[in-house]
Amino acid sequence: MRMSLRRRGRGLTAALGAAAAALALVALPAGAHAADPEAQTARKKAAVAAAGVPERPAPGPSPDPSLPVHALAPGQSPVDNPLKGFARFYQPGGDQNAGYPHSLTWAYFGLSEVMNNASNCGSYDWSVLDSALAEIAEEGHQAAIRFYLEYPGGTGTHPANAIPPCFAGKVANRDNAYWGTTSPDYDDPDLLAGLKNFIAAFGARYDGDPRLGYIHLGLIGLWGEWHTWPYDTDTAGDSYPNYMPTDAHGAEIMNAYNTAFKKTRLEVRYPESAGGAANSLPAIGYHDDSFCYREGSPAAGVTLPVSMGGAPWAQLQKAVEQGVENKWITASMGGEVRPEIQSTAFANWPGGSGSVDDMKACIELEHTTWKINERSGEYAAGDPKVAEAVRLMGYDLSVKNAYFHGSAQGSTKVGVQLANNGVAPFYYPWQVSLGLKDSAGNLVKTWNTSWDLRKVMPLKIRAFPDWNVGSDPTYLDFGRPHYFDTTVDLSAVAAGDYQLVMKAKNPLEDISPNAKKLRFANAGQGADGWLDLGDMTVDAGQGSDPKSYEAEAGGNTLAGGAVVADCGGCSGGKKVGYLGNGGTLTFNGIDGGSGGTRTVTLHYATGTARTATVQANNGTAQTVQFGPTADWWTTSTVTVQVNLQAGTGNRVTIANPSGWAPDIDRITVS
């Protein structure tokens, strides 16, 4: 049995048995949510410090006009795509895939279970975490976890008092009589040092671990939720002392996490925690654990802002007051659907009813990626309302178009245009690969790309009423379909007909054969994670299609000060600059087919008219004139005829011995 008591402003016991989850509510005194009535009134009257409409990201590269376009049919993404949607509680030995499809598992751990050496605070026993992560991964899930020091009643399998025994006699303890817990002195130097050392060791061992999806900072306060209510900063009108650490000490914990974890996503409960210390840390998101609930009389929402009927302590009201309502652009937004409404939260989708607030507005304005939702296990797998909500959460990626020659040989370029119809970006740099499948569906060749899914931002965002840009709901253009391309080498592929495919690999696949595959919202998406981009014929000899070579490719030679630079209008988002006056660029491995005269098309950018020399192998260098382009990021083309040898051992060098040459994006050879 697993026990779980919940949150500021209420007590909740969730007893999770083998068959069902039973909820028992305990009423708390009025005013338990945050400040005293006078402070609440003042907050309502205070002018908010909303960040306002976020700057729209700059357009990415344009599709290569030399590549044929292949439109891909849309489809529906699965509701158990990795790292988004619902999470259910970890129960050792339980079936984590029971109930509504999901890909995340939520787990608590007491700090004393890892720091269990009474004589050494620098000793860590990770077995309890490793065991859970192994079991969760075996089921194909990523874990979302939190460590705590005090947990009213314990979880049933984890202790109520999780203060490490090595602090005994060093760190003073206090009694939280309301919850029956022991609170350590969170300002004690020994405790702070121990926590920061633990965080450093935690990060050194687990940062980037593919079994982990999200880490709640935890450690501070009841359930690790960064409050000790009623023993907290809300001391007006009550006799309870403040057990919370100072903002400065809380900030030390946040900064320790931010230093220790550079890869795994982090979240903290409140935007105002530790005086808003996380607000200046782009990688730390927030964790709304009373998601989309309405409470009180008259009822007020605890997620949506005051401008939409929310309470002064609502999650998004706090975010607006702190000016971090756009933090989702760099950090994930997690939490929990408030347990009282989990069974009915989506019954009136897209809106809400009774204790359920406007669910679609909650997801869109918070830019929700994932939520703990234990009672999602009771949902029908085919419920269309739930499915629409889950697909909206986090990322929802689709390939609008693929760009490639249907018949190719040697080196050829492949591009895709990705769109995101979710409310948040994909937060991890998962490897994107291209491949070829034969007529039997066997994967015969793969190529890794440098494509970064994190660049594909949501196409539209919903405006807060606080932004004053129109009546609610107002949707604003934000992201754009993002174009990526790369050059692949077909020289080792036998001539024949193939299916060109693409995949974003879940790194958990290297650990567990059951890992959930990232799947795109396209009709050609396969269950194995590979998306069908279209048919490609690999020719046996020199084809008529031009072959493209990127200036920034690793096999090229840059000399004399030539450098790779970012270029939003260039293919692949890169170019080579500082050519001329000693700077040279040599394209290596150029395919000359059977040899002879070939046309080289130079794709370039230059703000002023320039010249350059183009030399094939050891032949005579030709001087080429380059007219000015609109700016240093917009490309144009010129062509030159060169003699190439048979095979792929040719070189083409671009230089200017007496002046500056243009920046080069790529060349194509036909």
Side-chain angles (χ1 to χ4, degrees):
M1 168 135 349
R2 213 181 154 72
M3 303 296 295
S4 152
L5 289 172
R6 299 292 211 246
R7 269 163 254 18
R8 186 179 194 174
R10 63 194 167 96
L12 173 65
T13 302
L16 308 178
L23 302 177
L25 303 181
V26 180
L28 293 188
H33 290 285
D36 58 276
E38 290 184 4
Q40 291 182 13
T41 301
R43 187 180 295 109
K44 289 180 181 180
K45 294 180 179 180
V48 298
V53 179
E55 182 178 357
R56 192 177 185 193
S62 298
D64 187 333
S66 71
L67 296 176
V69 182
H70 304 261
L72 269 64
Q76 289 188 325
S77 57
V79 294
D80 61 346
N81 246 341
L83 298 178
K84 62 169 286 183
F86 299 141
R88 296 189 63 192
F89 282 84
Y90 169 61
Q91 299 186 63
D95 181 1
Q96 295 176 46
N97 285 299
Y100 194 81
H102 58 291
S103 65
L104 285 165
T105 297
W106 170 257
Y108 282 103
F109 301 93
L111 185 59
S112 62
E113 296 177 276
V114 172
M115 293 177 62
N116 55 20
N117 188 325
S119 60
N120 185 359
C121 282
S123 174
Y124 308 104
D125 176 2
W126 300 104
S127 58
V128 64
L129 178 55
D130 280 332
S131 176
L133 293 181
E135 185 176 355
I136 291 168
E138 181 60 28
E139 294 290 317
H141 290 202
Q142 264 99 3
I145 68 170
R146 178 196 296 165
F147 278 93
Y148 66 86
L149 289 171
E150 46 183 317
Y151 195 123
T155 72
T157 55
H158 302 282
N161 181 356
I163 301 171
C166 64
F167 291 136
K170 299 178 182 178
V171 177
N173 292 325
R174 293 84 56 89
D175 179 38
N176 185 324
Y178 190 94
W179 292 104
T181 63
T182 299
S183 293
D185 180 355
Y186 289 107
D187 290 313
D188 185 278
D190 287 325
L191 180 81
L192 288 170
L195 294 184
K196 288 187 287 186
N197 289 338
F198 163 77
I199 293 166
F202 185 19
R205 184 179 177 93
Y206 292 101
D207 187 29
D209 191 316
R211 300 173 298 177
L212 278 170
Y214 304 98
I215 296 174
H216 187 292
L217 301 194
L219 296 178
I220 303 297
L222 297 161
W223 307 283
E225 289 183 356
W226 286 69
H227 74 84
T228 48
W229 188 90
Y231 295 83
D232 59 11
T233 55
D234 174 17
T235 57
D238 65 38
S239 59
Y240 298 106
N242 179 15
Y243 286 176
M244 286 293 287
T246 64
D247 287 346
H249 288 153
E252 289 183 27
I253 300 301
M254 290 189 184
N255 284 312
Y257 266 112
N258 191 62
T259 298
F261 288 91
K262 299 300 185 184
K263 299 175 182 178
T264 305
R265 298 290 87 193
L266 301 172
E267 297 172 358
V268 69
R269 175 64 181 92
Y270 305 104
E272 74 273 23
S273 294
N279 300 343
S280 61
L281 302 175
I284 299 182
Y286 306 115
H287 186 97
D288 179 4
D289 69 359
S290 290
F291 185 68
C292 222
Y293 185 59
R294 285 170 54 82
E295 64 185 2
S297 181
V302 296
T303 289
L304 294 177
V306 169
S307 61
M308 299 183 71
W313 56 84
Q315 184 80 6
L316 290 178
Q317 179 62 25
K318 296 287 190 180
V320 167
E321 290 174 359
Q322 296 283 331
V324 292
E325 71 269 26
N326 298 321
K327 190 76 173 294
W328 60 271
I329 295 173
T330 60
S332 60
M333 301 294 145
E336 181 175 16
V337 177
R338 179 83 167 226
E340 294 95 315
I341 62 171
Q342 286 180 5
S343 62
T344 59
F346 303 94
N348 293 286
W349 173 268
S353 179
S355 296
V356 181
D357 212 340
D358 185 335
M359 181 59 69
K360 189 167 188 278
C362 288
I363 292 174
E364 289 178 330
L365 289 173
E366 190 177 84
H367 297 269
T368 302
T369 287
W370 70 280
K371 294 295 176 193
I372 303 166
N373 187 354
E374 182 61 25
R375 297 193 69 173
S376 67
E378 303 169 17
Y379 300 162
D383 189 320
K385 296 180 179 179
V386 177
E388 186 176 343
V390 170
R391 291 190 176 103
L392 183 62
M393 294 168 69
Y395 66 92
D396 191 41
L397 300 173
S398 65
V399 177
K400 293 175 63 66
N401 297 299
Y403 301 81
F404 60 91
H405 294 287
S407 180
Q409 181 265 342
S411 295
T412 190
K413 180 179 285 188
V414 176
V416 296
Q417 190 179 53
L418 280 166
N420 185 351
N421 287 298
V423 298
F426 188 76
Y427 293 106
Y428 282 93
W430 284 6
Q431 178 69 66
V432 179
S433 300
L434 294 170
L436 290 176
K437 286 185 174 182
D438 63 19
S439 59
N442 300 310
L443 196 64
V444 299
K445 182 66 176 178
T446 62
W447 303 270
N448 290 337
T449 76
S450 60
W451 302 348
D452 190 346
L453 296 181
R454 295 173 296 180
K455 294 182 178 180
V456 190
M457 286 288 169
L459 294 177
K460 292 187 178 294
I461 60 174
R462 182 168 177 166
F464 279 78
D466 310 77
W467 294 352
N468 298 313
V469 295
S471 59
D472 182 69
T474 293
Y475 293 91
L476 305 174
D477 291 333
F478 189 67
R480 299 171 174 87
H482 196 97
Y483 176 75
F484 302 94
D485 64 21
T486 192
T487 299
V488 299
D489 182 5
L490 299 171
S491 59
V493 180
D497 296 328
Y498 296 94
Q499 181 185 51
L500 181 65
V501 292
M502 181 184 86
K503 179 178 180 177
K505 182 182 177 182
N506 183 346
L508 192 64
E509 294 178 53
D510 291 332
I511 296 174
S512 170
N514 300 315
K516 300 293 175 71
K517 311 296 192 298
L518 190 153
R519 287 149 288 173
F520 296 92
N522 289 100
Q525 176 64 62
D528 60 355
W530 289 100
L531 170 65
D532 180 8
L533 299 179
D535 297 330
M536 174 180 280
T537 298
V538 176
D539 296 328
Q542 173 70 26
S544 60
D545 292 328
K547 299 171 181 61
S548 183
Y549 302 88
E550 293 292 330
E552 70 273 13
N556 294 340
T557 302
L558 280 65
V563 297
V564 175
D566 291 333
C567 176
C570 297
S571 69
K574 302 287 185 182
K575 64 180 179 179
V576 171
Y578 286 97
L579 295 173
N581 288 319
T584 63
L585 165 64
T586 299
F587 289 85
N588 298 310
I590 302 298
D591 187 357
S594 57
T597 301
R598 296 288 181 262
T599 298
V600 174
T601 301
L602 297 105
H603 299 249
Y604 72 94
T606 177
T608 61
R610 290 186 173 179
T611 62
T613 59
V614 179
Q615 181 183 29
N617 300 318
N618 295 321
T620 301
Q622 303 179 59
T623 299
V624 180
Q625 303 293 327
F626 295 82
T629 54
D631 50 46
W632 289 96
W633 302 274
T634 301
T635 62
S636 185
T637 61
V638 298
T639 61
V640 61
Q641 303 294 310
V642 301
N643 287 317
L644 298 180
Q645 301 170 356
T648 58
N650 292 281
R651 307 182 310 277
V652 172
T653 300
I654 300 168
N656 185 339
S658 59
W660 289 112
D663 296 347
I664 300 298
D665 171 18
R666 60 190 174 95
I667 63 172
T668 56
V669 180
S670 57

